[in-house]
Amino acid sequence: MINLKLLGRTRAQESTHAIERMYITMRHLFNRGFYKPMGVSGETLREALLILRPEIYGSIADDKAELSGLLYVIDRLPKGIEECRFINLTSDEGYGNSHFKPIVPPKRRRNCYRIDDEQMNIEITRGRSEIYDILTHLTFLFVESHKIMRRVIIDEEGSVTRDWQKLEKAVLQEEPLDQAQREIALTHTANILGRTFFEVQDIYPKFSLPGNPERFLNIIYWLGKLAIAETINNDKRIITFSPVLRERLGHHIHGEIWADNIKQHLIKENLMHRPLHIISANMHSVMNTLYTPSALKTELKKKKPLEIYELLSNTANGDLRSKVMKSALDNGMTFLDDKSGTNIDVQIFDTAKLNGKYGSWDIKTEEEAPVIIVMDYAFGEQAYETMDELLKPYNFEGNEIKMNVESISIMGKAGILEGGKGDIMIPSAHLFEGTADNYPFKNELSPADLEGSGIDIVDGAMITVLGTSLQNRDILKFFHDSTWNVSGLEMEGAHYQKAIQAASKLRGSIDSEVKVRYAYYASDNPLETGSTLASGGLGTTGVKPTYLITEKILEQIFKS
């Protein structure tokens, strides 16, 4: 056995090499058109993931099953995928006009279609990052399935343990399980997974869906069932990439349609020449900040703005949310529902129609009043595609019309390397993982702008990673401790900045002195045990930093 230390290789270097191998392999498999994840063709991916042991996948390299990682992955893949032997990644190829009903994962906006009992189609409209994300999650899922298989098969003929027989009986039972039957099934499942009854009982309700309370048991059963079929009958699971997807990828087809829809609306409403401010953010914070003062005057007499924002972030408060939405639509906001396939909705705010003032700044004359374009979050490389297409001049009736973009602001969630959930990061540069590519910029936002709020603020560089699910403690510790002075990690920053620099400094599509703002709030600290993305969402912890950043961005827009 070669001693890696004698070769001078650190664990961080080994992990970085594993990530590079994964991405090279995934590109090769994509070009090939198909592969068997648990066969020879998928071996490199499996080995690299097991060497890497990402924090988000927890105990993937151990014999026992990883429960939190499984929940994280299942939330990002279509319901029923664990039952499918054939997974087909496609472009937008017309399934939306068929009898197939779209299945949208709760934590990833992508259309998926169950073609039959054995096949799931997943639409890819967000570029390579989306393919990498899906293949990584599927590799984890199939590795976990083979752990189950190894714990239940007794001999080469396919005989299985009593635990598996009892789980199968519970899953296939037509009548709903009562509490006693459920706890018996969970006992056998705990043995199969190498976990305690307490751990299994604790995770079980987190998988449940309305109409399918036993979803956790079903997932474990089907993962094991297909893994057993692969081993005993050689019925391999297969992932394919449609010819249309392979042909279209990288051509900005969806991004161009998306950007043209925005520009057509701006021209139609005579807004193209007005001061334009682009914000990449969620679909609620800008709207709520602008319209809550007028829409919820009564409520603001009893509660502070932050308390109102916390109420608005809760889907249970539909009446309050409807009031703000109605006020916005009546006073200058237009919502452009995405029809391009990018899954990026857009809000356009004509602030000349704002009723009264925002904060302490008078709305200017109509011609000088800012027009704010809020785009929902892009995903990875999709950030370059959408921003690049948006900033291009628009050809209208034979004339090339440039957008009068005065500022571009990027607000999002990121992993923090020194601090905790809800802290804020103000970057001065983006570094691209796996390369020496770096994008320094003048950030109009500074830590001083946000101080005094009771929230910890850090600055430094941000690393744009190829996938948040592929980071492990050793890589992140290297980023944090090295002279790169990295404060956090995210997936879009370098892609956005690449498009902004190209448009402003090289192509001349927008003003070379366009103002740029970046701010992130921490969704997790992947260096802290129990604080990774798999440990759960931010909850109301994210409300305060979200609105603090939003207010500062709007303050600078109205002051400009």
Side-chain angles (χ1 to χ4, degrees):
M1 188 83 177
I2 297 174
N3 188 328
L4 294 179
K5 286 187 177 179
L6 291 177
L7 295 175
R9 296 182 64 201
T10 67
R11 172 86 176 108
Q13 288 170 322
E14 184 184 26
S15 300
T16 300
H17 180 59
I19 289 176
E20 290 170 354
R21 273 198 300 151
M22 285 193 75
Y23 281 97
I24 291 168
T25 302
M26 284 192 274
R27 287 199 174 211
H28 164 71
L29 296 173
F30 175 76
N31 291 330
R32 180 188 181 196
F34 73 97
Y35 78 104
K36 297 175 182 177
M38 299 309 290
V40 175
S41 52
E43 188 174 3
T44 304
L45 274 186
R46 299 195 309 273
E47 287 180 352
L49 197 62
L50 290 170
I51 289 170
L52 189 58
R53 299 194 297 279
E55 296 300 308
I56 215 151
Y57 293 151
S59 56
I60 185 174
D62 300 342
D63 287 337
K64 61 183 179 181
E66 167 54 37
L67 299 180
S68 295
L70 180 62
L71 179 61
Y72 180 86
V73 165
I74 286 295
D75 278 346
R76 284 154 179 80
L77 292 173
K79 177 187 170 187
I81 197 164
E82 69 278 358
E83 302 174 10
C84 298
R85 265 190 68 208
F86 303 97
I87 298 168
N88 187 25
L89 274 56
T90 74
S91 180
D92 180 358
E93 299 177 21
Y95 291 103
N97 300 320
S98 68
H99 77 282
F100 298 113
K101 291 184 179 178
I103 306 169
V104 181
K107 297 291 178 70
R108 281 283 186 270
R109 286 178 58 189
R110 56 171 70 106
N111 289 331
C112 310
Y113 300 93
R114 185 75 179 263
I115 304 303
D116 53 38
D117 289 346
E118 291 188 303
Q119 181 175 333
M120 181 74 74
N121 281 14
I122 302 176
E123 265 186 15
I124 304 296
T125 59
R126 296 183 157 196
R128 288 190 181 88
S129 295
E130 189 169 22
I131 294 174
Y132 300 154
D133 186 59
I134 290 168
L135 294 189
T136 307
H137 290 336
L138 288 174
T139 302
F140 164 83
L141 202 63
F142 297 154
V143 167
E144 290 295 308
S145 75
H146 273 241
K147 287 185 192 177
I148 296 168
M149 175 272 298
R150 286 192 293 271
R151 295 182 74 95
V152 301
I153 287 186
I154 297 172
D155 54 39
E156 292 180 358
E157 282 71 45
S159 301
V160 291
T161 62
R162 179 173 177 272
D163 286 320
W164 182 257
Q165 292 170 1
K166 294 294 183 181
L167 172 61
E168 183 173 48
K169 181 181 177 182
V171 169
L172 299 181
Q173 178 178 310
E174 292 185 6
E175 300 80 20
L177 299 181
D178 59 32
Q179 185 178 350
Q181 292 171 323
R182 182 178 300 113
E183 290 182 353
I184 291 169
L186 288 175
T187 299
H188 294 296
T189 304
N191 289 338
I192 291 167
L193 299 178
R195 292 287 186 174
T196 65
F197 175 75
F198 173 79
E199 288 173 313
V200 171
Q201 189 181 42
D202 182 58
I203 201 80
Y204 156 83
K206 297 175 184 177
F207 283 84
S208 297
L209 292 175
N212 187 8
E214 316 303 338
R215 184 168 173 242
F216 175 68
L217 298 177
N218 293 338
I219 288 169
I220 299 304
Y221 171 72
W222 280 101
L223 286 176
K225 181 179 173 67
L226 293 190
I228 291 169
E230 279 189 318
T231 305
I232 302 302
N233 305 325
N234 203 32
D235 295 335
K236 298 291 186 188
R237 283 170 283 198
I238 299 175
I239 295 174
T240 55
F241 309 91
S242 79
V244 177
L245 174 64
R246 292 159 64 200
E247 178 188 331
R248 286 180 178 175
L249 195 71
H251 290 181
H252 289 200
I253 291 170
H254 301 288
E256 184 178 7
I257 296 168
W258 174 83
D260 284 352
N261 288 340
I262 296 169
K263 293 168 193 173
Q264 286 162 13
H265 176 81
L266 293 173
I267 289 172
K268 178 185 172 186
E269 298 298 322
N270 196 27
L271 300 175
M272 197 74 140
H273 66 287
R274 295 258 298 276
L276 302 176
H277 299 267
I278 299 167
I279 304 177
S280 170
N282 52 62
M283 288 283 100
H284 55 80
S285 59
V286 173
M287 178 182 71
N288 289 346
T289 304
L290 289 176
Y291 294 98
T292 292
S294 58
L296 302 178
K297 287 178 183 176
T298 306
E299 289 79 3
L300 282 168
K301 290 176 183 176
K302 304 171 187 174
K303 296 181 183 291
K304 294 178 181 178
L306 182 61
E307 293 174 310
I308 297 293
Y309 294 145
E310 287 180 349
L311 290 174
L312 288 169
S313 70
N314 188 338
T315 53
N317 295 313
D319 289 344
L320 284 182
R321 291 156 71 108
S322 296
K323 278 186 183 180
V324 177
M325 176 68 79
K326 184 179 186 307
S327 177
L329 292 171
D330 290 343
N331 294 281
M333 185 188 89
T334 303
F335 181 76
L336 300 183
D337 193 12
D338 178 60
K339 305 292 185 187
S340 67
T342 60
N343 280 315
I344 299 178
D345 294 331
V346 172
Q347 296 163 326
I348 297 177
F349 299 89
D350 180 358
T351 64
K353 296 178 181 177
L354 266 176
N355 189 8
K357 302 177 180 179
Y358 164 68
S360 58
W361 292 278
D362 287 307
I363 300 302
K364 302 177 181 180
T365 63
E366 182 169 329
E367 287 301 296
E368 293 179 327
V371 174
I372 301 171
I373 303 166
V374 178
M375 56 181 284
D376 206 348
Y377 298 122
F379 186 75
E381 287 185 18
Q382 187 191 34
Y384 174 76
E385 174 181 340
T386 49
M387 188 63 74
D388 182 56
E389 291 296 332
L390 183 57
L391 299 180
K392 285 179 181 176
Y394 184 62
N395 238 313
F396 181 68
E397 295 179 351
N399 298 314
E400 190 178 76
I401 303 175
K402 291 184 178 180
M403 296 180 73
N404 183 25
V405 179
E406 290 196 354
S407 78
I408 301 170
S409 305
I410 311 297
M411 178 184 78
K413 292 183 289 188
I416 195 168
L417 300 183
E418 187 171 345
K421 289 185 178 184
D423 291 351
I424 291 175
M425 292 155 277
I426 305 292
S428 55
H430 285 101
L431 315 174
F432 196 59
E433 182 183 38
T435 72
D437 295 353
N438 54 87
Y439 300 89
F441 52 86
K442 181 184 182 302
N443 196 339
E444 295 293 319
L445 290 172
S446 69
D449 293 327
L450 300 161
E451 283 173 354
S453 60
I455 296 177
D456 288 338
I457 299 159
V458 296
D459 56 5
M462 295 289 288
I463 185 131
T464 298
V465 298
L466 294 163
T468 53
S469 59
L470 289 183
Q471 309 309 307
N472 67 19
R473 187 178 298 273
D474 302 284
I475 295 175
L476 299 176
K477 200 166 186 314
F478 168 75
F479 289 151
H480 180 254
D481 296 344
S482 73
T483 54
W484 286 108
N485 187 30
V486 172
S487 60
L489 65 150
E490 47 75 58
M491 282 187 65
E492 291 80 33
H495 300 298
Y496 276 131
Q497 190 59 26
K498 183 167 62 172
I500 293 166
Q501 286 183 191
S504 61
K505 306 296 184 187
L506 297 177
R507 292 176 167 176
S509 305
I510 59 173
D511 191 331
S512 62
E513 300 304 316
V514 64
K515 293 178 180 177
V516 177
R517 304 179 191 91
Y518 287 89
Y520 300 92
Y521 54 94
S523 58
D524 64 303
N525 184 335
L527 285 176
E528 287 185 8
T529 303
S531 293
T532 67
L533 283 171
S535 67
L538 271 167
T540 56
T541 309
V543 173
K544 187 173 181 179
T546 298
Y547 283 91
L548 179 63
I549 295 168
T550 303
E551 286 171 354
K552 291 301 175 183
I553 290 172
L554 290 174
E555 180 181 313
Q556 291 192 2
I557 288 173
F558 282 107
K559 273 186 173 180
S560 62

